[in-house]
Amino acid sequence: MIIRKANTADLGNIMLMYKSCVKGMLKNGIDQWDKSYPNADIILTDIKDRTYFIAELNGEILGGINLDEKQDATYLSIEWEDKTNNFLVVHRLAVKEENWGEGIGKELMLFVEEVVIEEGYQSIRLDTYSGNPKAIEFYNRLGYTELGKINLKANKNKYHCFEKIIK
């Protein structure tokens, strides 16, 4: 498997990957995402910003992740451990439902840690939906610390904010 920056030619297959992921989430009672999010416009912006990465095997896109310095304004209510404000934020981590449990999400997150080290950042921030216990457990297993909860979207439960200091 390789992890690389996505390009605009990848968009259709990225959206098929999200469709599979969202279908699996809904099947498991996780209403974090739906048909309207993540959408092609958001992912295309990520690609154009050169912040979207895909996990690919034999030409098939199995997962994806966006990595940038943009945090939602609600993040300001969290008491982050990294006071340097030198962080990257993970957005829209997803893996095709057919490939869940194969370690692809973990590989993408380990890739994020490598980027943080290579580019001189201090930490990683992210949020995940309280209605997604598998994701919460996943980030805990990877050594992320939960620092609080935010209201990110109307008509949704709270989101858990996580941070990992990278040394």
Side-chain angles (χ1 to χ4, degrees), residues 45-101:
T45 298
D46 293 343
I47 292 170
K48 287 179 177 176
D49 289 345
R50 312 256 320 127
T51 57
Y52 195 86
F53 297 86
I54 56 171
E56 184 179 53
L57 182 63
N58 300 323
E60 182 181 2
I61 295 173
L62 305 180
I65 192 168
N66 192 67
L67 184 59
D68 60 32
E69 297 176 353
K70 300 173 189 169
Q71 63 180 0
D72 190 84
T74 57
Y75 275 42
L76 298 175
S77 67
I78 300 296
E79 187 67 32
W80 300 100
E81 292 176 2
D82 176 11
K83 305 299 184 204
T84 68
N85 281 322
N86 189 18
F87 57 84
L88 285 179
V89 182
V90 168
H91 307 274
R92 297 178 277 288
L93 171 63
V95 173
K96 283 178 76 171
E97 179 189 13
E98 299 85 354
N99 299 100
W100 288 0

Side-chain angles (χ1 to χ4, degrees), residues 4 13 15 17 21 23 51 53 67 82 94 100-101 114 124-125 137-138 141-142 151 164:
R4 65 170 175 85
N13 288 325
M15 295 316 299
M17 180 271 300
C21 183
K23 181 180 168 195
T51 57
F53 297 86
L67 184 59
D82 176 11
W100 288 0
E114 290 173 17
I124 302 165
R125 294 179 181 179
E137 177 187 320
F138 172 72
R141 267 195 334 266
L142 291 177
N151 288 311
K164 187 171 186 178

